[in-house]
Amino acid sequence: MRNIWSFFMGTLLLVSKGSKAYYIWVATLLTIAGFGVMGYLYQLDQGLVVTSMKDQVSWGFYISNFTFLVGVAAAAVLLVIPAYVYHWKPIKEIAVLGELLAISAICMCLMFVTADIGRPDRFWHLIPKIGLLNFPQSLLAWDVVVLNIYLIINLTIAVYILYETYYKRTPNKNFLTPLLLLSIPAAISIHTVTAFLYNGLGARPFWNASILAPRFLASAFCSGPAFMILLFLLIRNYTKFKIKDEAIHKVAELIAYAMFVNLLLFGAEVFKEYYTDNVHLAPLQYLLQGYHGHSALVPWIWTALIFNVTAFFIFLIPESRKNPVTLVLGCIMIFVGVYIEKGMGLVIPGFIPDVLHEIYEYSPSYIEIIVSMGIWSLGMLIFTLLLRVGIPILNGDFHVAADGVGSHIGDQLFFVGKQNQEEEKEAAHD
């Protein structure tokens, strides 16, 4: 118990240290998060009337972000399988970073669900054994259970690996391997159950398609890794952590396969609706070409499709996915494209037209945008602090001191520029 307490106190000391850039980054995230909290308190005081959600469109910007981020969290499995099933070393060295991103993404998911609840004082009903969870009849209850299980599994894996590395011990495979293997079906289950939440609504033909769950998984396995590559490049350029090109190129190759499946499934859905040309075509018409003069989402979805197709060809060609410039461009295109397609492009058309054939065009209110920006900032703050602890441990710059009690902190800056890295290389070379 004393070791756990020493480790915990050491991490608190570590996150308080950093370069000027680190403090500015953390202060910026805290400021945006502060505006988000104020926006949420205003929403809490006034009620959901300050959002643009109505009876006709009862899920909006919050649930769109929630759906997208579940995919980002599930994408961690794309690192776990090559790292721990096939023992591919370049990915194994960065797999923990994927676990830390999954933890941050799940925290954001839970915050978006909380923001979407009109009566957050009833949130305790979602706590198993204490509240009235209605498990296993309710799909929402299943979603709560699998999300929390996935959060606990990833938290346990990441903390255990970092804790053992901090004390210079090799993690016990008999404890770690079952958890890693369990995290694979757990990752798939969180996005499958989220898809079933939409899929099970028979009165919403836009979502009531058996192809929806595979579409969710395919889009998750391209948008999540694309976000990871962008973060890995920033980490490699602005911290001391080394990430090999082979690892990034392998993840980029997997993105190409996932994006192909994602585009194929979307195309199959478009063919089915347009070829049958029945009343169920209306939501897709609204999304792709406008419906009865309402076309707010049309420019957004076509932008998303152009981005996704362009990014697919960038990642399909080995030379372009290994080129640093086109690699970054492709990752940004996939992130933005899937964010639109799987967020607002998925949620809003499901309500248009509604069951009474009324049309209400939804766009998020400024309160929804401020609260969402605050949640994203809090999520990135959680990820930054997790990296502040994880990277020095993996680098060997943060470990137990020689007395076996205190902490040795060799990395006082965390964020270092490229110039500092070059100076360190030259010093090491001399």
Side-chain angles (χ1 to χ4, degrees):
M1 198 65 194
R2 191 182 67 171
N3 286 350
I4 295 174
W5 181 250
S6 299
F7 174 71
F8 176 68
M9 295 305 292
T11 58
L12 289 182
L13 183 63
L14 182 65
V15 298
S16 68
K17 296 179 180 294
S19 62
K20 187 178 177 183
Y22 170 72
Y23 289 126
I24 290 174
W25 171 245
V26 171
T28 304
L29 292 176
L30 281 172
T31 303
I32 298 173
F35 282 111
V37 170
M38 286 193 287
Y40 179 66
L41 290 175
Y42 180 71
Q43 176 185 303
L44 203 59
D45 180 59
Q46 300 293 316
L48 288 178
V49 69
V50 297
T51 72
S52 295
M53 290 183 282
K54 307 287 182 189
D55 288 343
Q56 292 88 345
V57 178
S58 53
W59 288 344
F61 201 46
Y62 297 145
I63 295 301
S64 301
N65 279 280
F66 162 78
T67 307
F68 175 77
L69 284 166
V70 172
V72 173
V77 75
L78 219 63
L79 298 183
V80 171
I81 292 176
Y84 295 104
V85 176
Y86 296 102
H87 302 286
W88 205 60
K89 192 178 176 187
I91 293 229
K92 199 169 187 177
E93 293 170 352
I94 59 172
V96 173
L97 304 186
E99 306 281 356
L100 298 181
L101 180 61
I103 293 167
S104 310
I106 291 289
C107 290
M108 284 190 271
C109 288
L110 296 174
M111 284 189 271
F112 272 115
V113 170
T114 305
D116 191 68
I117 295 175
R119 290 286 303 271
D121 54 302
R122 294 177 178 172
F123 193 82
W124 63 274
H125 280 300
L126 294 175
I127 303 172
K129 300 290 183 186
I130 299 175
L132 302 174
L133 190 58
N134 197 24
F135 183 85
Q137 292 89 346
S138 167
L139 270 176
L140 184 61
W142 276 94
D143 209 25
V144 170
V145 169
V146 295
L147 280 173
N148 281 289
I149 288 175
Y150 189 62
L151 175 62
I152 292 168
I153 290 173
N154 278 285
L155 203 55
T156 306
I157 291 172
V159 171
Y160 177 69
I161 291 175
L162 295 176
Y163 178 78
E164 291 297 303
T165 307
Y166 172 84
Y167 280 104
K168 301 180 179 178
R169 297 190 294 248
T170 303
N172 186 342
K173 288 185 178 178
N174 293 331
F175 175 74
L176 190 60
T177 304
L179 282 176
L180 288 165
L181 295 177
L182 184 61
S183 72
I184 297 171
I188 294 171
S189 70
I190 60 169
H191 221 27
T192 303
V193 174
T194 305
F196 286 171
L197 275 174
Y198 294 93
N199 196 198
L201 299 174
R204 308 286 180 186
F206 187 65
W207 302 327
N208 189 226
S210 55
I211 209 172
L212 194 64
R215 268 186 68 194
F216 266 44
L217 290 171
S219 60
F221 294 154
C222 49
S223 61
F227 190 39
M228 282 183 196
I229 288 179
L230 292 173
L231 294 173
F232 290 162
L233 292 174
L234 289 172
I235 290 168
R236 186 168 73 172
N237 288 334
Y238 295 101
T239 73
K240 293 180 180 177
F241 194 67
K242 307 293 180 235
I243 298 176
K244 293 176 181 160
D245 283 340
E246 302 100 282
I248 291 176
H249 296 161
K250 176 57 72 177
V251 176
E253 184 184 343
L254 297 173
I255 289 174
Y257 306 143
M259 181 50 85
F260 169 75
V261 177
N262 184 42
L263 291 172
L264 177 67
L265 294 176
F266 182 77
E269 190 65 20
V270 170
F271 169 78
K272 188 258 290 180
E273 296 294 0
Y274 272 93
Y275 195 76
T276 52
D277 193 18
N278 58 25
V279 68
H280 291 175
L281 175 63
L284 198 60
Q285 273 185 316
Y286 169 72
L287 180 64
L288 293 177
Q289 63 187 82
Y291 187 71
H292 289 189
H294 300 277
S295 57
L297 280 179
V298 173
W300 291 95
I301 194 62
W302 281 105
T303 302
L305 290 174
I306 291 169
F307 277 18
N308 286 346
V309 172
T310 307
F312 167 64
F313 284 108
I314 288 176
F315 282 89
L316 184 66
I317 302 168
E319 289 77 15
S320 57
R321 71 169 176 254
K322 290 179 181 176
N323 181 295
V325 176
T326 48
L327 175 67
V328 171
L329 183 65
C331 288
I332 292 173
M333 282 183 164
I334 286 183
F335 184 84
V336 175
V338 175
Y339 182 76
I340 296 170
E341 176 209 331
K342 197 175 176 181
M344 296 284 280
L346 173 86
V347 175
I348 306 308
F351 293 105
I352 296 177
D354 69 5
V355 290
L356 298 177
H357 283 263
E358 293 177 344
I359 296 177
Y360 166 68
E361 279 207 298
Y362 167 89
S363 60
S365 69
Y366 76 93
I367 287 292
E368 289 173 272
I369 293 173
I370 290 172
V371 171
S372 299
M373 287 175 62
I375 292 174
W376 272 93
S377 296
L378 279 173
M380 293 312 297
L381 179 63
I382 292 170
F383 186 57
T384 302
L385 297 180
L386 290 173
L387 287 180
R388 181 65 184 104
V389 175
I391 286 179
I393 290 178
L394 296 173
N395 276 341
D397 289 326
F398 179 54
H399 54 77
V400 64
D403 60 5
V405 179
S407 299
H408 168 80
I409 300 177
D411 181 358
Q412 301 285 338
L413 298 176
F414 186 45
F415 282 174
V416 291
K418 287 183 179 178
Q419 187 178 351
N420 296 47
Q421 290 184 339
E422 293 300 326
E423 288 173 359
E424 285 183 10
K425 283 181 185 176
E426 288 176 8
H429 182 69
D430 294 338

